Amino acid sequence: MQNIISIANLHKSFKNNEVLKGINLEVKKGEILSIVGKSGCGKTTLLRCINFLEIPDQGTINVNGVSISTDDFPKNYQNIEKNKIQETNNPFKSFSYQNEIVKKFKNKIYQIRGNIGFLFQDLQLFPHYNVIENVYKPLVIIKKMRKEEAILNAETILLKVNLINHRNKYPHQLSGGQKQRVAIARALAMSPKIMLYDEPTSALDPELVREIADMINMLEKDEITQVIVSHDINFIKLIAKQVVFIDEGEIVEMGLLEKLLTNPVDQRTKHYFDIFR
Amino acid sequence: MRSKIIFIFIFFIAYNLLFSQEEFRWAADAEGNVPYIFQDPNNPKLLKGFEVDLANAIAKKMSMKPVFVQNQWDGLIPGLNRGDYDIAINGIEITADRKKEVLFSIPYYYTSEKLVVRSNEQKINGLSDLYGKKIGVLKNSLAERILNTQGGFDVLSYEGEVNAFEDVKNKRIDAALVDFPIALYYTACNTELKQVGPPIGEVVYGAAIRLQDSSLLAKVNNALTSIIQSGELRSILEKWNLWNEVIAIRLNDEKPSTNLHSEFEAYLKSQHTGHNVITTLERDITFLPLFAQGALVTLGISIVSMIIAIFLGLFLAIIRIFGPKFISLIITLFIEIIRGTPLLIQLYIIFYAMPSIGIKFSPFLAAVIGLGVNYAAYEAENYRAGLFAIAKGQMEAAIALGMRRRDALIFIIIPQAFRIVIPPVTNDFISLLKDSSLVSIITMVELTKVYNQVATTYFDFLGTGIIVAAIYLILGLPFIQIAKYSEKHLGLERKRK
């Protein structure tokens, strides 16, 4: 199987704190890959670099054949742009979308983001839209779809995630699990090839963890590549075969979950998985 | 039919061209200014006072049409130099300092300062009994200068004599030293106060005219001279019981006084009738049309200012957030300066200082610009806070879906920011409504100014005060409702969990 995501020598630091120290990672098409590690190990930053919510300091990222390398960045970028971003507290200026690099590689970045659905830890549903609007409005705004067509699409997806009865409710009227499914539906509506999940179970009651796991397993059948960042090993057990363990900005070990659990090569991996055995 | 209308129209224009009189635009402050100029107790829409009679007499002699312009007493000379009117007649003392700023007519009144104390006060019979004690004076008056030159007194300066008298009554101060006409009228209709001691110093009133208007000065002086010689000035002053020994000597007119003080007695009568609750209430009701006029001005100023504030604020916020660093810095500085300085000072600068660099606004325009710009700075910060609060996670969510920055702003950020800024913006409108009372200092006769005028003329701060407070409350009510509604309905979907 071919690789849909390849990451080579990825470095990223915030101020003087190097969060990613040369990550090399390949994700195969249709695969479910889990990234685990202690909090602060850099797993979320890695995920955010894949769709350029964070701009890497160094490295090459290739998503579905679209490749962006820091070698093509202006030479003084690291000195100038990074300082500027971190100085201002204006969210409209500090966001990666307004950054010089994003401007320069605009087309490529939009292409990459168009292939990726991203599930935020805090979901970030649009609170001024109801459920159906949350799902169909982006289709109208981004894909310039006709409203009727977009609603039809949205209804199909809401049916799939079992939310069609709640189509006219606003996010604040939904339970945690329902919100999660709206967020997934919103991402799926854009028909992404890849789904990235940032700590999808962190806000869920234990009985809902299985529900989201079922959803992820269902999407595997649709050949959607899925990368899940989590520290919830019980959840990982339900979904993943391939697991990457990251510690202090480096990939320590990767392989099948059973192998990392029962027969880890590295001491750090052993130590981390000890508590789950 | 049509030709008839045209004929009438032409006739009307021709009539106006041939017979129209030039305007004699004179200014004074009709607030707490008995017997100079005040609202007629029997008809609050009419102005009375010996200076009103004098101004009308001068205008008549000059064959001009008198037009009265209300202006804060402190601002009479700045207003003159702004060109809001051509002459100020309002108990303005002729002093060397003022002569540097304006031309003065020949004097139209001479008098002295008099001490006013509580009626039951036995120990104070002159200035010498007041060493170390508190004396109230009108600010920038001869009384203030006399006391400060002599020294040894605790001098408190007041914006208006009425406030000084109230403080004497309430024992906050021991005496007030004021111009004789004021002492005469207020003690005559106020049993709690009395005049004591001999006349102190000499006060000379003249009409103030712009320095460059020497031709008007000559005409006014001619008119005044003829009014003095014909005895018209004397009869006006007699009517108001203001003819005194000093002026008799100065004007060389020592005929015995007639004792016909019609206006003085009419005023006393108006003050002594009706002091029970019912008659006070009846009288207060007659003020309602006056208050309604003031309320209309207040509402007009507030609405226009708020419209300016909402749109200018949006403009400032957008430039501050999205503009280049340098321009954004300038806007930030501008906002901080506006927010960090008193509105009162901003109004003074716009109204009185700007004309000196060639920018002259009408009082209404100055008021709405002052209030509008001031509140725009606050609104800009409201918008910025609203946009920032929404932007943090929602912007990322939108762009992660593949939205362009502009679309995310239009469809995701702004609609939500709009909802969260409505309550603070409506609240600001309510406080703007109340802040609009400040524009009375730039000669706008709005609700608070009307209240001051009426209250100081009738010594009724309580009754009229309650009426005016109620009017402000009623004016603000619809906006409180809007704030409540928007919080309840538009804010609904933002409630979390």
Side-chain angles (χ1 to χ4, degrees):
Chain A
M1 251 192 292
Q2 67 195 99
N3 294 330
I4 194 162
I5 302 172
S6 1
I7 297 164
N9 193 26
L10 178 66
H11 289 262
K12 174 73 185 175
S13 47
F14 296 107
K15 294 211 168 125
N16 295 321
N17 178 23
E18 194 171 20
V19 182
L20 299 178
K21 301 169 181 166
I23 299 278
N24 293 292
L25 182 68
E26 320 249 277
V27 185
K28 292 193 183 68
K29 202 171 176 202
E31 148 178 70
I32 298 178
L33 178 76
S34 298
I35 302 174
V36 298
K38 287 179 265 186
S39 65
C41 71
K43 54 191 194 297
T44 295
T45 305
L46 171 60
L47 204 65
R48 288 168 61 87
C49 280
I50 297 176
N51 73 343
F52 287 84
L53 286 177
E54 302 292 350
I55 307 293
D57 296 342
Q58 201 192 324
T60 304
I61 294 174
N62 185 320
V63 177
N64 198 33
V66 181
S67 171
I68 295 176
S69 168
T70 52
D71 295 343
D72 303 328
F73 287 7
K75 286 214 171 57
N76 53 359
Y77 158 68
Q78 290 200 18
N79 306 330
I80 298 169
E81 197 59 38
K82 264 184 62 187
N83 290 339
K84 204 162 91 186
I85 293 164
Q86 280 157 16
E87 260 171 37
T88 171
N89 60 357
N90 179 343
F92 291 98
K93 293 224 163 146
S94 60
F95 279 156
S96 47
Y97 71 90
Q98 222 232 342
N99 169 303
E100 287 299 314
I101 299 301
V102 178
K103 278 183 193 161
K104 197 169 172 197
F105 293 88
K106 203 159 89 182
N107 290 337
K108 279 187 172 183
I109 289 179
Y110 280 126
Q111 240 178 306
I112 289 177
R113 285 178 184 161
N115 280 323
I116 298 177
F118 196 104
L119 194 81
F120 289 88
Q121 185 172 3
D122 52 2
L123 305 180
Q124 295 294 346
L125 295 177
F126 302 134
H128 60 307
Y129 288 158
N130 62 24
V131 170
I132 188 91
E133 286 170 336
N134 259 285
V135 182
Y136 92 77
K137 288 268 188 185
L139 286 173
V140 175
I141 297 166
I142 299 162
K143 299 207 160 172
K144 312 290 174 218
M145 209 178 264
R146 272 177 40 247
K147 191 181 164 187
E148 299 75 27
E149 194 188 344
I151 290 177
L152 223 63
N153 272 356
E155 281 170 347
T156 315
I157 290 164
L158 286 182
L159 217 61
K160 196 169 174 180
V161 299
N162 199 17
L163 271 175
I164 195 74
N165 295 334
H166 304 283
R167 53 176 290 162
N168 293 325
K169 285 190 181 165
Y170 281 89
H172 73 274
Q173 298 167 308
L174 300 174
S175 72
Q178 290 166 336
K179 281 185 199 168
Q180 190 112 24
R181 279 182 281 150
V182 176
I184 292 173
R186 183 177 70 178
L188 287 179
M190 307 303 296
S191 28
K193 294 191 170 68
I194 301 163
M195 284 290 288
L196 305 179
Y197 304 82
D198 186 10
E199 303 280 7
T201 59
S202 64
L204 291 184
D205 294 333
E207 66 266 29
L208 292 170
V209 170
R210 178 165 289 278
E211 192 178 284
I212 175 100
D214 289 347
M215 184 99 67
I216 288 168
N217 290 328
M218 179 180 80
L219 293 177
E220 190 187 13
K221 297 192 187 86
D222 297 344
E223 293 188 348
I224 293 176
T225 310
Q226 300 180 86
V227 180
I228 299 114
V229 159
S230 182
H231 56 249
D232 182 352
I233 298 298
N234 290 325
F235 168 61
I236 300 290
K237 279 178 183 168
L238 294 172
I239 50 168
K241 294 164 193 87
Q242 287 293 326
V243 174
V244 175
F245 172 62
I246 294 184
D247 193 42
E248 291 181 359
E250 290 169 329
I251 293 182
V252 178
E253 202 168 338
M254 55 202 289
L256 291 173
L257 179 64
E258 293 83 51
K259 185 183 165 263
L260 264 61
L261 273 171
T262 54
N263 191 16
V265 177
D266 195 284
Q267 268 312 103
R268 285 184 286 176
T269 318
K270 184 177 182 300
H271 188 76
Y272 179 78
F273 283 99
D274 261 349
I275 44 170
F276 302 109
R277 233 170 282 130
Chain B
M1 183 66 200
R2 201 174 185 187
S3 62
K4 221 176 188 174
I5 293 172
I6 293 172
F7 175 76
I8 291 171
F9 186 68
I10 291 171
F11 176 80
F12 183 76
I13 292 176
Y15 180 88
N16 270 298
L17 282 175
L18 284 172
F19 299 100
S20 71
Q21 287 179 310
E22 244 186 291
E23 286 186 344
F24 180 77
R25 294 178 63 81
W26 71 286
D29 187 358
E31 178 181 322
N33 235 335
V34 185
Y36 299 75
I37 173 168
F38 58 98
Q39 279 136 341
D40 184 351
N42 299 315
N43 179 5
K45 284 188 172 173
L46 258 181
L47 290 173
K48 296 193 80 171
F50 83 93
E51 284 177 337
V52 178
D53 293 346
L54 178 68
N56 290 342
I58 295 172
K60 198 175 165 199
K61 270 274 170 323
M62 294 165 67
S63 306
M64 287 166 91
K65 188 176 143 214
V67 174
F68 170 72
V69 180
Q70 162 64 35
N71 203 312
Q72 187 95 347
W73 196 83
D74 291 339
L76 279 172
I77 288 173
L80 191 63
N81 289 327
R82 274 174 51 86
D84 292 344
Y85 39 83
D86 302 314
I87 184 164
I89 306 173
N90 200 197
I92 303 172
E93 284 169 52
I94 303 176
T95 63
D97 280 348
R98 290 203 180 110
K99 274 185 176 169
K100 289 177 201 153
E101 294 175 65
V102 288
L103 297 173
F104 274 108
S105 70
I106 57 169
Y108 62 82
Y109 192 61
Y110 298 84
T111 187
S112 6
E113 303 289 341
K114 288 282 286 189
L115 270 177
V116 173
V117 296
R118 285 181 290 278
S119 310
N120 56 6
E121 184 64 73
Q122 303 300 331
K123 288 178 188 156
I124 300 169
N125 291 306
L127 265 188
S128 51
D129 299 327
L130 280 162
Y131 282 116
K133 293 194 168 155
K134 287 181 178 161
I135 308 180
V137 294
L138 184 68
K139 75 173 182 191
N140 291 328
S141 64
L142 175 69
E144 188 179 31
R145 289 196 300 280
I146 289 173
L147 295 182
N148 284 336
T149 317
Q150 207 164 321
F153 307 103
D154 189 354
V155 182
L156 282 86
S157 22
Y158 286 82
E159 294 284 334
E161 294 93 347
V162 179
N163 308 100
F165 291 141
E166 289 298 316
D167 276 2
V168 174
K169 278 199 233 170
N170 296 329
K171 302 188 181 174
R172 288 204 193 100
I173 56 177
D174 301 292
L177 187 62
V178 298
D179 293 5
F180 160 72
I182 299 158
L184 173 70
Y185 272 73
Y186 281 81
T187 53
C189 59
N190 218 310
T191 49
E192 291 169 75
L193 297 174
K194 66 174 181 186
Q195 299 184 55
V196 290
I200 301 161
E202 184 174 315
V203 187
V204 185
Y205 295 158
I209 295 166
R210 271 186 297 276
L211 275 178
Q212 58 271 30
D213 258 359
S214 44
S215 64
L216 179 65
L217 177 72
K219 282 191 231 161
V220 170
N221 277 344
N222 272 340
L224 257 176
T225 312
S226 121
I227 289 167
I228 292 168
Q229 280 168 358
S230 68
E232 196 179 348
L233 179 67
R234 177 168 178 160
S235 74
I236 291 173
L237 293 173
E238 293 254 17
K239 209 164 64 174
W240 288 96
N241 195 16
L242 293 173
W243 189 256
N244 61 40
E245 287 154 32
V246 190
I247 192 167
I249 295 165
R250 293 291 179 210
L251 296 184
N252 236 339
D253 184 353
E254 312 224 15
K255 290 190 290 278
S257 185
T258 57
N259 287 324
L260 281 173
H261 311 312
S262 53
E263 291 287 5
F264 176 62
E265 271 141 27
Y267 178 75
L268 288 192
K269 214 176 138 199
S270 76
Q271 292 295 318
H272 282 297
T273 52
H275 264 74
N276 66 48
V277 181
I278 302 292
T279 47
T280 309
L281 210 66
E282 274 172 6
R283 191 193 57 196
D284 286 352
I285 285 167
T286 65
F287 301 145
L288 282 178
L290 270 184
F291 287 142
Q293 255 175 25
L296 222 57
V297 175
T298 291
L299 198 62
I301 290 173
S302 303
I303 288 175
V304 176
S305 309
M306 199 60 200
I307 290 170
I308 294 175
I310 284 171
F311 288 101
L312 183 63
L314 191 63
F315 177 74
L316 291 176
I318 286 172
I319 295 188
R320 180 167 179 188
I321 295 172
F322 299 104
K325 206 169 182 178
F326 178 67
I327 293 173
S328 158
L329 207 72
I330 292 174
I331 298 287
T332 310
L333 202 69
F334 175 76
I335 290 173
E336 291 311 323
I337 289 172
I338 295 289
R339 293 203 306 167
T341 55
L343 176 56
L344 198 64
I345 293 188
Q346 292 164 16
L347 286 171
Y348 273 128
I349 290 174
I350 292 169
F351 194 66
Y352 289 119
M354 300 276 260
S356 65
I357 54 164
I359 304 166
K360 200 184 130 184
F361 297 116
S362 72
F364 180 82
L365 215 54
V368 296
I369 289 173
L371 281 166
V373 170
N374 189 276
Y375 273 82
Y378 287 95
E379 296 327 314
E381 288 303 281
N382 276 341
Y383 299 146
R384 196 172 68 101
L387 287 169
F388 277 18
I390 298 300
K392 277 196 169 111
Q394 293 278 297
M395 196 64 166
E396 278 197 343
I399 62 164
L401 278 168
M403 230 178 262
R404 309 279 155 145
R405 169 184 162 204
R406 208 193 47 181
D407 288 340
L409 261 177
I410 294 171
F411 295 106
I412 307 301
I413 308 298
I414 289 174
Q416 293 183 59
F418 180 71
R419 285 163 164 83
I420 55 172
V421 302
I422 284 182
V425 170
T426 17
N427 282 333
D428 276 355
F429 184 84
I430 295 161
S431 78
L432 185 146
L433 196 70
K434 291 177 286 176
D435 275 359
S436 72
S437 62
L438 281 175
V439 303
S440 62
I441 58 133
I442 55 169
T443 78
M444 285 305 291
V445 185
E446 42 65 72
L447 191 50
T448 300
K449 182 71 183 179
V450 175
Y451 164 60
N452 268 324
Q453 289 176 345
V454 172
T456 51
T457 307
Y458 299 96
F459 303 106
D460 180 10
F461 287 92
L462 183 65
T464 52
I466 290 170
I467 293 177
V468 169
I471 294 175
Y472 270 110
L473 209 61
I474 291 166
L475 289 182
L477 224 51
F479 301 98
I480 294 174
Q481 286 306 317
I482 291 174
K484 268 190 192 156
Y485 177 87
S486 61
E487 235 164 306
K488 199 172 162 194
H489 292 264
L490 295 175
L492 190 72
E493 58 265 38
R494 282 210 61 78
K495 279 183 212 146
R496 295 281 168 114
K497 278 154 203 174

